[in-house]
Amino acid sequence: MLELDATPKAPADLIKDATDATFAADVIEASQTVPVIVDFWAPWCGPCKTLGPAIEAAVTKAGGRVKLVKVDVDANQAYAGQLQVQSIPTVYAFFQGRPVDGFQGALPPSEIDAFVEKIAALGGDPEAEGLSAAIEAADQMLEEGAVADAAETFAAILQEEPNSAPAYAGLVRSYLALDDVDQAEAILNGAPAEISDDPLLEAAHAQITLAREAANAGPVADLQAAVEADPANHQARFDLAIALHANGQVEESVDQLLELFRRDREWNDGAAKAQLFTIFDAREAKDPIVLNGRRKLSSLIFA
């Protein structure tokens, strides 16, 4: 069972002193994965005594998303010379092995905080990445049939991020896989209003609709026979489409609905078209069944 832990961890070497000998490892190599801010200072520099603690506080607040390396230019002049440090304090920010930003002189705390946050953002949001990885893992569990584990993981994600539409949609799909349509609907109804229009939740709503229809679907063989006996029996064809979908024959269900639309697009207040959209909404937009179905429906509409 995956244990969700999306809280960013501050590395042990969050703030350190560097020398010319360690600069390559502490700054160039370290910045390949985490942005590194370098504070060039000297013991005799008055503004450095104010800037240094302010940068340390801002870096600490960033929670490990950025590191701070302090270089005493009196004792280490090589890299200061290469970077053309002509006055101190001078601050450079490195990411992926190269300098990306910087400033000279002391700044007020608010500007220091903004600078550190901007540099930290270059490395992405570890919390968001952690949640994304957890959602991907839960999706994989669900696909492999570990439904209970998937449901537990999606629920844990929602404890960390209550507005996660992917987690809500995943939890709905988990309960549908457990044949608990009522619980799936209750979960969907409990989603925050601000994400209610998210396409993933709209898809979950369509999936619930189809699941309820499946519970009342008739036998495929009998409905197939009824349609073959009377191709103009629109209700039988519509019921056949429902039964085929409940049986996992999605493409065949779409074909029957397209045929019904071709025969009488206005039947039962446009029920065939509405049902097609429900099926399309329940699946990924790039699903071949959706792409082909939408293309064929458009051809019939504009024929």
Side-chain angles (χ1 to χ4, degrees):
M1 174 60 210
L2 175 70
E3 293 183 2
L4 178 69
D5 186 2
T7 304
K9 300 294 190 301
D13 58 349
L14 181 65
I15 300 172
K16 67 192 309 185
D17 293 312
T19 66
D20 285 339
T22 65
F23 192 94
D26 292 340
V27 178
I28 306 301
E29 294 178 15
S31 70
Q32 295 294 337
T33 53
V34 179
V36 177
I37 293 174
V38 184
D39 176 17
F40 290 96
W41 70 289
W44 49 264
C45 169
C48 297
K49 296 177 182 179
T50 301
L51 180 66
I55 295 181
E56 290 185 19
V59 168
T60 300
K61 186 168 63 175
R65 295 188 294 130
V66 62
K67 294 182 178 182
L68 174 63
V69 170
K70 301 170 68 67
V71 177
D72 179 349
V73 297
D74 281 355
N76 305 277
Q77 299 181 3
Y79 280 97
Q82 289 183 27
L83 291 167
Q84 299 181 342
V85 176
Q86 297 177 348
S87 65
I88 54 174
T90 291
V91 173
Y92 275 102
F94 284 74
F95 186 52
Q96 296 180 341
R98 59 186 180 85
V100 293
D101 206 343
F103 63 87
Q104 288 184 338
L107 295 177
S110 60
E111 292 186 30
I112 293 172
D113 287 346
F115 176 80
V116 170
E117 181 57 34
K118 179 176 68 171
I119 300 306
L122 296 175
D125 185 348
E127 182 174 1
E129 292 172 5
L131 290 172
S132 178
I135 289 170
E136 184 177 344
D139 283 335
Q140 185 67 26
M141 293 176 196
L142 189 55
E143 184 177 335
E144 294 175 353
V147 181
D149 284 348
E152 185 178 345
T153 303
F154 284 126
I157 293 169
L158 288 173
Q159 290 180 352
E160 295 285 342
E161 179 47 70
N163 286 349
S164 173
Y168 264 106
L171 193 55
V172 168
R173 288 186 289 110
S174 297
Y175 277 98
L176 289 177
L178 293 169
D179 293 327
D180 193 342
V181 182
D182 289 340
Q183 183 61 24
E185 188 167 36
I187 290 167
L188 183 61
N189 290 339
E194 51 265 42
I195 63 171
S196 61
D197 293 334
D198 190 283
L200 290 174
L201 295 191
E202 292 179 351
H205 183 271
Q207 291 158 8
I208 289 172
T209 299
L210 292 171
R212 291 207 180 281
E213 292 174 348
N216 299 315
V220 171
D222 291 351
L223 292 167
Q224 184 72 57
V227 170
E228 291 175 355
D230 182 7
N233 186 338
H234 298 336
Q235 185 63 58
R237 189 179 298 277
F238 185 82
D239 292 343
L240 174 60
I242 300 295
L244 286 168
H245 192 280
N247 199 43
Q249 297 172 266
V250 181
E251 189 170 6
E252 291 83 349
S253 174
V254 168
D255 288 342
Q256 290 295 335
L257 291 168
L258 288 169
E259 175 61 17
L260 175 52
F261 182 84
R262 186 191 68 80
R263 287 174 173 270
D264 187 351
R265 64 182 62 191
E266 301 300 332
W267 176 79
N268 198 16
D269 295 326
K273 182 180 178 181
Q275 187 68 15
L276 282 166
F277 283 146
T278 298
I279 293 175
F280 296 158
D281 289 345
R283 306 178 72 84
E284 292 186 6
K286 61 184 179 182
D287 188 315
I289 294 176
V290 174
L291 293 174
N292 292 333
R294 288 189 183 278
R295 178 178 55 79
K296 291 178 180 178
L297 179 60
S298 295
S299 297
L300 290 173
I301 292 174
F302 297 108

